[in-house]
């Protein structure tokens, strides 16, 4: 159908020409964000399907928006054809090294029978947009993509290059993690002064009230130990005191009663100092005293009794799995437990293991490392980044405060921090702190929250790249 083809090319050319008259040469209007979100949600990117299809879809959209092919790079590992990544670059004036935004394209599995709606369709209902990945993190991917296209269309020339990498395999913790792979195999494409990762930030609200935008500067380190108690066993009619199940159970009971010492970082101190503004009464006083370094034992005790604040104060280790014994009528020869630790940045795995050994207090229990810790230093909260986020945030929501945060779980930022690139989790998609649905059923975002996220991302991207 050559005639239709020619007509289409002409029409596209005219549209591009008229766009160029008001903005930069060749740039066209970005796609409607809602339509792009719908396309991404309807492309299943769970672990078994992979992310290459979504990366290709975004590649087409960036090319249609006027980006040069050499600035829109689809990079797919040779041995993992389904785990593709897309790296897009908006050229700046070369004043400083680039800013890299990262966003994963993959999502957690979702079953139709668990959901009120089809998880792989975008459904609007009563002011909400439902679909797998809308908050984690296809909504943010759309915000990054559309913001970069909008900057291109405006003819905005950042001081330094802006790079956005849409990546594979964050959720399954698989062997094709896009951020890790790009940093090690294609460093030239993604090398940067600083990373922004909307997967890590948090815009928290409660009962409809917007409270804070948190800048994630650090993450606790993931570290897993195995415990094993062993014995020669024997007939269950002749019980012994050396029963490995009893020994292990006693040691685990000691661990259950144990708390690691309080270990504050620059981030957690500042977090408590600022967070106190949102609280009242005793809790406010306790948080303030932690922030100013004057907390007494009673304040620490009260904050340690609540999960949410306890995990900000210290390293934690908890039992997650247990097994032992081999027959109904035999003394066990072996009992094993898995201990999962989340370690405050700056604390060594050796220190944690030594503390465990002391508290378990049984030299016959062998301790081994199942998953070693990966170094993950805290990124310094610079006045420049703090001010950029504060100004952007309060330009949209004047009453919302900005605070730094250490997250108890891991994001892709731990790969970029590990290679020495300061990384910040920042996101403006407000979500109810008491109704988190990422990874769960009926994942959703507010229609208005999505609109505001688009504006927040655009403004922050522009602000950071302008300097
Ligand atoms: Zn995520």
């Amino acid at each position: 159908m050559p005639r239709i083809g020619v007509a289409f090319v002409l029409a596209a050319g005219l549209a591009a020409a008229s766009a160029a008259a008001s903005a930069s040469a060749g740039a066209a209007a970005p796609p409607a964000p809602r339509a792009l979100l719908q396309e991404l949600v309807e492309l299943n990117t769970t672990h078994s399907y992979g992310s290459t299809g979504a990366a290709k879809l975004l590649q087409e959209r960036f090319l249609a928006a006027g980006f040069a092919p050499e600035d829109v790079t689809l990079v797919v590992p040779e041995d993992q054809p389904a785990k593709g990544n897309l790296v897009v670059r908006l050229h700046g004036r070369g004043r400083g090294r680039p800013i890299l935004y990262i966003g994963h394209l993959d999502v957690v599995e979702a079953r139709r029978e668990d959901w009120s709606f089809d998880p792989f369709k975008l459904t609007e209902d009563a002011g909400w947009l439902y679909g797998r990945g809308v908050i984690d993190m296809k909504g943010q991917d759309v915000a990054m993509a559309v913001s970069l296209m909008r900057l291109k269309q405006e003819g905005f020339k950042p001081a330094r290059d802006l790079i956005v990498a849409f990546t594979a395999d964050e959720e399954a913790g698989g062997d094709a993690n896009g951020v890790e792979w790009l940093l090690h195999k294609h460093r030239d494409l993604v090398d940067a002064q600083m990373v922004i990762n909307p997967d890590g930030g948090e815009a928290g609200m409660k009962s409809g009230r917007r409270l804070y935008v948190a800048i994630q500067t650090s993450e606790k380190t993931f570290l897993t130990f195995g415990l094993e108690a062993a014995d020669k066993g024997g007939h269950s009619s002749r019980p012994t005191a050396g029963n490995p199940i009893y020994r292990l159970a006693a040691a685990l009971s000691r661990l259950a009663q144990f708390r690691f010492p309080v270990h504050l970082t620059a981030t957690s101190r500042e977090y408590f100092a600022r967070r106190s503004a949102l609280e009242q009464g005793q809790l406010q006083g306790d948080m303030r005293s932690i922030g100013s370094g004057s907390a007494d034992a009673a304040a620490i005790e009260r904050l340690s009794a609540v999960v949410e604040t306890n995990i900000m104060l210290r390293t934690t280790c908890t039992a997650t799995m247990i097994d032992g014994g081999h027959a109904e009528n035999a003394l066990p020869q072996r009992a094993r437990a898995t201990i999962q630790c989340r370690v405050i940045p700056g604390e060594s795995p050796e220190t944690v293991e030594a503390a465990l050994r002391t508290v378990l207090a049984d030299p016959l229990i062998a301790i081994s490392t199942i998953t070693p810790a990966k170094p993950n230093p805290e990124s310094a909260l610079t006045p420049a980044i703090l001010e950029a986020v504060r100004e952007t945030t309060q330009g949209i929501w004047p009453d919302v405060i900005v605070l730094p945060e250490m997250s108890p779980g891991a994001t892709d930022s731990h790969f970029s921090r590990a290679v020495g690139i300061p990384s910040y989790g920042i996101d403006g998609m407000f979500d109810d702190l008491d109704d988190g649905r990422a990874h769960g059923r009926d994942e959703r975002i507010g229609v208005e929250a999505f609109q505001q996220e688009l504006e927040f991302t655009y403004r922050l991207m522009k602000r950071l790249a302008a300097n």
Side-chain angles (χ1 to χ4, degrees):
M1 297 180 287
R3 287 160 77 87
I4 294 171
V6 169
F8 175 77
V9 168
L10 276 175
L14 285 171
S18 71
S22 61
S24 84
R34 174 80 165 263
L36 186 56
L37 180 61
Q38 179 170 351
E39 286 183 293
L40 280 178
V41 168
E42 294 182 1
L43 258 174
N44 186 330
T45 56
T46 53
H47 189 64
S48 46
Y49 287 83
S51 54
T52 302
K56 281 185 175 161
L57 174 89
L58 286 171
Q59 181 187 33
E60 282 171 26
R61 296 295 175 275
F62 275 103
L63 293 175
F67 281 74
E70 62 269 27
D71 295 330
V72 185
T73 315
L74 183 73
V75 252
V76 186
E78 241 168 63
D79 55 341
Q80 299 266 13
K83 300 299 165 69
N85 307 274
L86 185 74
V87 182
V88 188
R89 184 178 292 251
L90 181 68
H91 290 278
R93 286 170 281 132
R95 305 218 183 117
R97 291 166 63 212
I99 295 178
L100 170 66
Y101 274 73
I102 55 175
H104 65 80
L105 291 170
D106 59 316
V107 295
V108 172
E109 298 286 349
R111 293 208 185 99
R112 176 66 188 95
E113 63 264 33
D114 297 334
W115 279 55
S116 310
F117 311 96
D118 184 342
F120 296 103
K121 290 261 177 291
L122 188 72
T123 306
E124 180 171 350
D125 187 64
W128 298 95
L129 291 168
Y130 291 83
R132 172 53 93 217
V134 289
I135 191 123
D136 186 13
M137 59 175 297
K138 286 178 170 172
Q140 290 88 340
D141 289 335
V142 168
M144 288 189 283
V146 172
S147 296
L148 199 66
M149 292 178 202
R150 204 173 144 189
L151 294 175
K152 170 89 175 169
Q153 191 199 12
E154 284 173 2
F156 174 70
K157 199 93 172 129
R160 39 169 134 197
D161 289 8
L162 258 174
I163 308 169
V164 182
F166 301 93
T167 63
D169 217 21
E170 192 267 349
E171 296 291 6
D175 46 6
N177 180 280
V179 173
E180 185 180 29
W181 185 76
L182 288 167
L183 285 168
H184 291 100
K185 302 282 184 191
H186 294 275
R187 185 64 176 263
D188 53 320
L189 271 181
V190 294
D191 200 29
Q193 168 110 43
M194 154 167 75
V195 162
I196 306 293
N197 179 7
D199 199 25
E202 182 176 62
M205 65 195 296
K206 277 193 185 202
S207 314
R209 185 179 152 222
R210 292 181 185 83
L211 300 174
Y212 63 79
V213 167
I215 304 174
Q216 189 238 51
T217 62
S218 51
E219 294 170 4
K220 281 180 144 181
T221 308
F222 188 102
L223 171 62
T224 311
F225 293 105
L227 308 184
E228 185 173 296
D231 187 60
K232 63 180 167 47
H235 201 283
S236 58
S237 61
R238 307 170 66 84
T240 66
N243 183 324
I245 290 179
Y246 290 153
R247 286 222 316 273
L248 189 64
L252 290 176
S253 297
R254 290 188 283 274
L255 177 61
Q257 301 304 316
F258 174 72
R259 278 187 196 142
F260 278 81
V262 171
H263 178 176
L264 296 168
T265 65
T267 290
S268 54
R269 207 169 296 225
E270 191 65 25
Y271 167 83
F272 280 116
R274 291 175 181 244
R275 178 73 201 254
S276 68
L278 300 173
E279 307 295 345
Q280 288 167 346
Q282 184 79 69
L283 181 56
Q284 180 172 61
D286 290 347
M287 285 187 169
R288 252 186 214 150
S289 70
I290 291 276
S292 63
S294 62
D296 59 16
I300 288 170
E301 182 56 39
R302 284 187 293 269
L303 293 173
S304 301
V306 178
V307 173
E308 191 190 341
T309 41
N310 181 51
I311 58 178
M312 293 294 287
L313 290 173
R314 53 170 58 87
T315 292
T316 61
C317 291
T318 189
T320 54
M321 295 198 285
I322 188 164
D323 75 289
H326 58 281
E328 183 183 346
N329 57 356
L331 295 177
Q333 286 174 246
R334 229 169 274 284
R336 294 191 189 91
T338 301
I339 306 295
Q340 233 282 288
C341 303
R342 300 291 171 132
V343 183
I344 299 269
E347 237 167 83
S348 78
E350 292 77 22
T351 316
V352 178
E353 185 175 336
L356 263 186
R357 206 173 287 284
T358 304
V359 64
L360 295 171
D362 184 342
L364 296 177
I365 292 180
I367 304 178
S368 60
T369 299
I370 294 177
T371 307
K374 290 187 183 147
N376 183 13
E378 181 166 291
S379 301
L381 184 73
T382 63
I385 187 113
L386 189 60
E387 186 49 25
V389 178
R390 192 202 58 75
E391 193 187 278
T392 306
T393 300
Q394 295 182 346
I396 302 174
W397 311 282
D399 298 332
V400 169
I401 65 167
V402 172
L403 44 83
E405 177 184 73
M406 168 185 70
S407 56
T411 67
D412 276 341
S413 299
H414 79 267
F415 295 113
S416 46
R417 290 194 185 109
V419 299
I421 307 178
S423 305
Y424 303 97
I426 305 169
D427 184 28
M429 187 98 81
F430 274 92
D431 195 23
D432 195 312
L433 293 164
D434 298 322
D435 190 17
R437 299 186 181 200
H439 297 201
R441 72 186 289 273
D442 292 348
E443 181 177 350
R444 67 184 187 181
I445 50 177
V447 171
E448 189 194 18
F450 180 52
Q451 280 306 323
Q452 295 187 336
E453 162 79 351
L454 294 165
E455 188 59 24
F456 176 86
T457 305
Y458 163 78
R459 288 192 195 183
L460 183 66
M461 199 178 259
K462 190 169 186 175
R463 172 83 161 71
L464 288 172
N467 294 312

